[in-house]
Amino acid sequence: GAAPAGAGAALPNGPALLELRDVRVDSPRRRGVVNDVSLTVAAGEIVGIAGVEGNGQTELVEAIAGLAPLAGGEIRIAGQDASRLTVRGRGDAGLSHVPEDRHRRGLVLDYSIADNLILGQQHHFTRDAQLDIARINDHARRRVAEFDIRPPSPQLPARALSGGNQQKIVIAREMGRDFRVLLAAQPTRGVDVGAIEFIHERLRRARTDGKAVLLVSADLAEVLALSDRIAVMYGGKIVAVLPRGEASAEVLGPYMTGAAGAADTAGAA
């Protein structure tokens, strides 16, 4: 149970919005590439997953997002068993996903900014079985202004924009909709400093708004800057979960490289 506010509780007082229970994922190359991962993210909390790339983080994110099948375990989104839901079903259950590879998973570069801002959500923008162009364009104008996408021309193709502004399209789409859980994978990779600060501010605002944020980043400084708790993945497992106050590069390093054995992860669930 949650401790009183200010008692240094590991979990905030909000309900658990993302629950991973003994999640196992097999890849074409390796069985158990994610091996019995259990983790909870509560409302109003950012949990960061740190680790050297290639330790199962990508596969874990894809399993949560519905892009890869579970080999075992359970994923719950806002209290609902989402383990068998489609990508769209998970979105409707309250999951937003900022993908690791924005070009492969996040954008269609030849589509306009306006069309990219509704990717995967087209079913919310139809009228009489037709796309509602006026509503799509109105939505685009609001999001472009709110998320400072430049140039602010919704009809431009996404490929005409800088990397930072392309990423802002993805952030605007995923964070501009109604969501409960945000899965943010490498959210600032390859973007400029100004866009990094903007994206960090939006992640913090999501926490303030009572969302559950799971941040997966190879940038340890980013994980340390944003997270309330930090889980370290090594060899497909979570080997440590620490509150931010106990975490530093020096403490996390040995877990990230496998030098520290699998710690007591009782706190992981």
Side-chain angles (χ1 to χ4, degrees), residues 176-200:
R177 59 188 281 266
D178 188 24
F179 70 99
R180 307 286 301 283
V181 177
L182 178 69
L183 177 58
Q186 317 293 351
T188 60
R189 173 173 284 165
V191 310
D192 56 275
V193 172
I196 289 174
E197 289 176 3
F198 181 90
I199 291 165
H200 284 184

Side-chain angles (χ1 to χ4, degrees), residues 8 29 31 40 46 63 68 70 92 101 110 118 134 138 149 176 179 186 197 205 211-212 221 232 243:
R29 294 174 301 287
R31 290 179 59 127
T40 298
I46 298 175
L70 286 185
D92 290 342
D101 183 338
D110 290 327
I118 63 161
D138 180 54
I149 295 166
F179 70 99
Q186 317 293 351
E197 289 176 3
R205 191 184 304 181
K211 315 295 189 186
V232 181

Side-chain angles (χ1 to χ4, degrees), residues 187-222:
T188 60
R189 173 173 284 165
V191 310
D192 56 275
V193 172
I196 289 174
E197 289 176 3
F198 181 90
I199 291 165
H200 284 184
E201 175 53 38
R202 298 303 303 210
L203 294 174
R204 290 191 177 102
R205 191 184 304 181
R207 168 175 58 197
T208 302
D209 289 345
K211 315 295 189 186
V213 179
L214 183 63
L215 167 69
V216 182
S217 176
D219 180 351
L220 183 56
E222 177 166 74

Side-chain angles (χ1 to χ4, degrees), residues 27-205:
S27 79
R29 294 174 301 287
R30 195 160 99 241
R31 290 179 59 127
V33 66
V34 174
N35 204 343
D36 292 335
V37 164
S38 294
L39 190 66
T40 298
V41 189
E45 179 182 44
I46 298 175
V47 173
I49 294 186
V52 177
E53 286 192 80
N55 279 282
Q57 301 95 320
T58 295
E59 292 83 1
L60 178 64
V61 167
E62 293 199 333
I64 296 169
L67 298 165
L70 286 185
E74 185 182 10
I75 294 167
R76 300 185 75 83
I77 297 168
Q80 178 182 356
D81 185 352
S83 310
R84 305 281 171 267
L85 292 179
T86 61
V87 172
R88 175 170 155 181
R90 291 174 204 219
D92 290 342
L95 180 71
S96 277
H97 173 214
V98 174
E100 178 178 328
D101 183 338
R102 66 175 165 268
H103 290 157
R104 201 165 64 91
R105 293 275 196 213
L107 295 166
V108 179
L109 291 174
D110 290 327
Y111 281 19
S112 69
I113 294 171
D115 285 340
N116 272 291
L117 283 167
I118 63 161
L119 267 192
Q121 299 163 27
Q122 292 94 328
H123 55 295
H124 295 304
F125 289 89
T126 55
R127 212 170 74 196
D128 306 327
Q130 299 284 321
L131 281 174
D132 186 341
I133 302 301
R135 223 174 104 222
I136 290 168
N137 288 336
D138 180 54
H139 172 260
R141 279 191 296 273
R142 286 202 310 271
R143 292 291 173 260
V144 161
E146 183 189 351
F147 288 84
D148 192 32
I149 295 166
R150 298 180 199 182
S153 312
Q155 299 315 317
L156 275 178
R159 75 165 67 251
L161 277 60
S162 69
N165 281 288
Q166 288 178 358
Q167 187 70 345
K168 282 185 183 178
I169 298 174
V170 179
I171 298 282
R173 180 181 67 230
E174 299 302 324
M175 300 188 71
R177 59 188 281 266
D178 188 24
F179 70 99
R180 307 286 301 283
V181 177
L182 178 69
L183 177 58
Q186 317 293 351
T188 60
R189 173 173 284 165
V191 310
D192 56 275
V193 172
I196 289 174
E197 289 176 3
F198 181 90
I199 291 165
H200 284 184
E201 175 53 38
R202 298 303 303 210
L203 294 174
R204 290 191 177 102
R205 191 184 304 181

